[in-house]
């Protein structure tokens, strides 16, 4: 009986790869002397032939289970006799190996060691402009595998090769992990962060340019803008409409993060952003140089001791600083009192309470367009 069970065991464990016959290569003679047909096509060597001889007690009620894998000896088989312990041990050992094999075949997510002090840019605009400029140190470019044939991805490879940046083609889930689920458009770039520039170290344009008739100057000053999406949108509008310089207060302001770069459509990669630790002192110094400072407000009734006019009525003929306040509080009282005038956007209808203001980036875009449309060269 033990010899009758051995073909099943060695066949299930892969020790015997021959079809059933009168004698097995392992030396155990089969109970049946009839030649068995070869395994069906496509079955390969995954298991024993479909019709193994069934010994006594191998049918229903033999102590086996419906869940017992086909082709494996069943523990507790009544016909196993003295070989029941051996069969059970072999059967259990094989079942233990199967899950291990499956676990080994599972693809583990890519774990990338980030370069110390680096950040991950994401999105086509920010990554392309960062590659084309020399403002960051670049480490690695990550591209989505399935999109490698797109022309824009080929252009990325050319840009990275020209800069000596390694290119890695990875799965989408690796890109998702790199940028923490942001919209990456199939591309990420590992690079050093961008920092604010210091006004003290910058070359400040003087009033001589304007006095000699070259052009008017307009600067945008941001007081405590904290939302990265708003900051990115503000930079994008300022760059598009021709603002000469953007200055932000260092205290309680959003840093120049990859999210800001993405929200600016990459404008942050080509447009310098300056920062000051003392916004009021900076404004006083510019006023002393002859600049005009105008603030903004959504509710004119909240302004004291400063004239409020519509942005449509405003005319400017000297270097100008437009100051924008924070999302929730607007301009601080100290900054508001330094303004020569305050600009307001007239609404197009009677407003319902609670919907009486604009998003800060939208309002700034409207104000800048109204003002910059007057920007002209003297003598035109």
């Amino acid at each position: 009986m033990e010899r009758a069970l051995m073909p099943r065991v060695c066949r299930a464990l892969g020790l015997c790869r021959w079809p059933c016959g009168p004698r097995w290569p392992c030396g155990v003679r089969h109970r049946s002397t009839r030649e068995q047909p070869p395994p069906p096509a496509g079955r390969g060597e995954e298991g024993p032939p479909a019709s193994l001889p069934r010994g006594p007690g191998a049918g229903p009620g033999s102590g086996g289970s419906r869940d017992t894998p086909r082709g494996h000896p069943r523990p507790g088989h009544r016909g196993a006799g003295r070989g029941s312990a051996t069969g059970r041990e072999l059967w259990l050992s094989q079942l233990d190996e199967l899950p291990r094999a499956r676990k080994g075949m599972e693809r583990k997510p890519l774990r990338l060691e980030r370069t110390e002090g680096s950040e991950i840019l994401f999105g086509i605009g920010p990554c392309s402009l960062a590659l084309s400029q020399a403002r960051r140190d670049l480490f690695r470019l990550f591209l989505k595998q399935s999109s490698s044939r797109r022309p824009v991805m080929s252009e990325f490879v050319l840009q990275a090769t020209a800069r000596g940046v390694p290119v890695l083609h990875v799965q989408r889930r690796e890109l998702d992990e790199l940028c923490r689920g942001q919209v990456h458009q199939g591309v990420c770039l590992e690079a050093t962060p961008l920092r604010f520039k210091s006004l003290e170290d910058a070359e400040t344009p003087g009033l001589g340019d304007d006095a000699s008739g070259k052009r008017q100057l307009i600067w945008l000053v941001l007081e405590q803008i904290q939302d990265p999406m708003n900051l990115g949108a503000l930079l994008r509008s300022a760059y598009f409409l021709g603002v000469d310089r953007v200055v932000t207060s260092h205290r309680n302001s959003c840093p120049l993060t990859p999210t800001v770069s993405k929200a600016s459509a990459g404008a942050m990669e080509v447009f310098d952003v300056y920062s000051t630790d003392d916004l009021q002192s900076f404004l006083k110094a510019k006023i002393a140089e002859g600049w005009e400072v105008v603030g903004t407000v959504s509710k004119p009734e909240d302004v004291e001791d400063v004239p409020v006019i519509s942005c449509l009525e405003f005319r400017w003929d000297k270097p100008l600083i437009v100051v924008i306040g924070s999302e929730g509080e607007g301009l601080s009282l100290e900054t508001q009192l330094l303004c020569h005038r305050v600009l307001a956007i007239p609404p197009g209808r009677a407003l319902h309470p609670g919907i009486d203001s604009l998003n800060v980036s939208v309002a700034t875009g409207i104000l800048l367009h109204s003002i910059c449309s007057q920007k002209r060269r003297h003598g035109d």
Side-chain angles (χ1 to χ4, degrees):
M1 188 63 64
E2 181 177 351
R3 294 173 69 86
L5 182 63
M6 284 302 294
R8 290 190 183 183
V9 175
C10 61
R11 181 67 178 176
L13 295 181
L15 301 176
C16 181
R17 300 190 177 188
W18 293 84
C20 275
R23 179 172 295 278
W24 288 69
C26 58
V28 179
R29 185 171 180 82
H30 202 284
R31 283 178 56 89
S32 174
T33 58
R34 292 182 299 173
E35 292 291 331
Q36 301 293 332
R43 183 72 178 265
E45 297 176 4
E46 297 178 358
S51 58
L52 282 175
R54 302 170 65 182
S62 62
S65 168
R66 287 188 177 182
D67 297 330
T68 304
R70 196 174 174 185
H72 296 277
R74 299 172 182 171
H77 195 292
R78 288 186 297 181
R82 292 176 299 172
S84 60
T86 303
R88 184 184 299 107
E89 183 178 352
L90 291 172
W91 181 75
L92 292 175
S93 65
Q94 185 183 7
L95 290 184
D96 288 341
E97 290 299 325
L98 289 175
R100 294 178 192 172
R102 286 194 213 97
K103 289 179 181 178
M105 293 174 64
E106 292 178 0
R107 186 162 184 244
K108 296 181 179 179
L110 181 64
R111 297 296 179 183
L112 296 169
E113 292 293 333
R114 287 267 300 275
T115 305
E116 185 177 356
S118 69
E119 66 182 14
I120 300 296
L121 284 175
F122 54 91
I124 292 176
C127 294
S128 178
L129 290 169
L131 280 169
S132 65
Q133 305 298 309
R135 304 178 67 199
R136 297 178 183 260
D137 293 331
L138 309 177
F139 302 114
R140 286 176 294 182
L141 177 68
F142 302 92
L143 299 178
K144 183 181 174 184
Q145 283 183 347
S146 60
S147 61
S148 57
R149 295 184 179 181
R150 292 168 55 191
V152 66
M153 295 305 171
S154 300
E155 183 64 27
F156 270 115
V157 174
L158 293 176
Q159 284 183 298
T161 303
R163 293 288 304 272
V165 179
V167 180
L168 283 73
H169 295 273
V170 298
Q171 297 291 335
R172 178 177 178 176
R173 58 175 179 166
E174 275 82 37
L175 292 174
D176 292 339
E177 184 176 347
L178 282 171
C179 66
R180 299 180 181 179
Q182 301 286 345
V183 181
H184 50 69
Q185 299 174 296
V187 56
C188 289
L189 178 65
E190 184 183 21
T192 54
L194 281 182
R195 307 294 185 189
F196 291 114
K197 290 197 170 185
S198 172
L199 281 173
E200 289 73 17
D201 299 334
E203 181 181 351
T204 304
L207 297 184
D209 291 342
D210 185 66
S212 62
K214 286 186 177 180
R215 63 189 181 95
Q216 294 172 296
L217 297 173
I218 178 170
W219 287 13
L220 178 65
V221 173
L222 308 175
E223 184 180 31
Q224 299 184 14
I225 298 296
Q226 300 177 353
D227 190 317
M229 301 298 291
N230 282 335
L231 179 57
L234 286 164
L235 295 179
R236 184 175 184 176
S237 296
Y239 178 77
F240 182 86
L241 294 171
V243 171
D244 296 289
R245 182 167 294 178
V246 175
V247 181
T248 180
S249 59
H250 183 74
R251 179 173 171 268
N252 293 334
S253 293
C254 175
L256 299 177
T257 65
T259 302
V260 175
S261 185
K262 183 64 166 62
S264 73
M268 191 185 89
E269 304 300 322
V270 298
F271 195 36
D272 290 332
V273 184
Y274 295 82
S275 177
T276 178
D277 292 326
D278 191 343
L279 183 60
Q280 282 77 33
S281 296
F282 161 73
L283 292 177
K284 290 177 182 178
K286 302 310 289 182
I287 292 172
E289 293 176 9
W291 290 64
E292 182 176 6
V293 178
V294 297
T296 57
V297 65
S298 59
K299 298 179 180 180
E301 61 273 13
D302 294 341
V303 181
E304 298 180 4
D305 302 327
V306 182
V308 180
I309 64 172
S310 167
C311 62
L312 302 177
E313 301 172 0
F314 177 74
R315 297 292 179 268
W316 62 299
D317 54 2
K318 61 175 65 176
L320 179 67
I321 291 177
V322 179
V323 190
I324 306 295
S326 65
E327 294 91 344
E329 302 298 328
L331 290 177
S332 65
L333 181 59
E334 295 82 359
T335 300
Q336 194 177 110
L337 293 176
L338 291 174
C339 297
H340 295 96
R341 286 179 282 184
V342 173
L343 305 182
I345 300 174
R349 59 159 24 106
L351 301 177
H352 192 282
I355 318 176
D356 54 357
S357 64
L358 292 168
N359 171 270
V360 64
S361 63
V362 174
T364 303
I366 294 173
L367 290 169
L368 289 178
H369 180 266
S370 176
I371 296 172
C372 291
S373 62
Q374 305 174 37
K375 194 173 184 178
R376 65 192 183 279
R377 295 183 182 274
H378 290 275
D380 289 350

